[in-house]
Each structure stands twice: as C-alpha cells, then as structure tokens.
Amino acid sequence: FVGTTFEGSTTFIDSENAVGKAHGLIGVSAVWLREIFGVEVELAHVNGFFQAGDRRLVLDSRVTTLMGNVVVAAPARKTQYGLRPYLSGGAGLMWTHIGYAFGVFQVAETMGALDLGGGAQGYLTNRIGVGWDVRRFNSLSKTGEPGATTTGKEQLSFWRASMALVIRY
C-alpha cells in the first residue's frame, strides 16, 4: 500500500514542526480473512516524519510500524465481489529515529503501539482489487521522566490514510 500520515502529535522535540504535516509512506500487509473475522500483519515505513524540508535541523528521520491486528469485515456471502467494509485494530511496535544536525540529541526508540481503523476493499477481477484504509496509531508511553529529546513521556501518534493493491489467492 501507499499512503500518507496526517494530524500527528508527539512529545519528541519537533524542531521543524513536521509531525502534524502530511508524509508519504509505503507498506505491505497480509490478511487471513474468513467469513467475518480475520487477522492481519502489516509493516509500514515513513521517511522524513520529523522533517519539514525547510529548516534542515533534522538530517534524517523515520517511523516504522509493525502491527498485528484483528479484522472484522462485512460477511463475504453478502458482499461477494463488491465493496467489503471492515474494521481493524491491534497492537505492535513503533520504531522512531531522529538524526539531528551536528550529531546531538539523537533519537532511536522502540515503543509499543496500538492502532484502530477501518476501510473497504473492492475487486476488479476474481483475484485483483483495491483497498482504502484510515487508521489511528498511538505509541504506548514509556515510563520515566522527560529527557533531552522529549517534552514529556515518549509519545507519538498520527493518522494514516492509504490505498492498496489487493491480491487474493
């Protein structure tokens, strides 16, 4: 899938005010879906999440999520090869990296994360279709005090909208 993030917020120092802006992403997911219930594993990657492009205070940044989700979809026998809406939610990991100029205040964090959202899939042929999805991602705050790179407990959240090529086998 390809998509964009939007409406992000964080306690990490956002020196370029970039987290709330749109950032392109790529990802892949595998879903095992029966009549109504299923499971999903997905991996998504966002380059430049903490970069706005105009200040050059952050040299490199990225956010990667690996999530395991439960999927609840409209019954397959009712939707057949038409549009099939679904809800998805689960837990996983969120990796955050921020490389600041001059090598100071580097961030490389792995945090637990939750996601919740929904979408729909529609099929163009018996095996090929397209999917649309909107989800909210929230990191699970780590315990501890604010450090040199945060304004509070480490936290990152954002919305993601995506469109996918769906291959059924």
Side-chain angles (χ1 to χ4, degrees), residues 12 15 35 61 64-65 78 87 89 130 145-146 155 162-163 169:
F12 290 106
S15 59
E35 181 66 19
S61 68
T64 303
T65 57
K78 298 283 188 192
L87 296 174
V130 292
E145 297 300 317
Q155 184 276 331
S162 62
M163 183 173 179
Y169 59 97

Side-chain angles (χ1 to χ4, degrees), residues 44 149 157:
T149 59
S157 61

Side-chain angles (χ1 to χ4, degrees), residues 113-129:
L114 301 173
D115 73 328
L116 180 64
Q121 293 180 351
Y123 287 88
L124 306 170
T125 70
N126 193 22
R127 298 217 181 264
I128 304 295

Side-chain angles (χ1 to χ4, degrees), residues 84-104:
R84 187 174 186 191
Y86 63 88
L87 296 174
S88 178
L93 295 173
M94 183 182 293
W95 292 278
T96 302
H97 169 78
I98 309 169
Y100 291 97
F102 309 113
V104 297

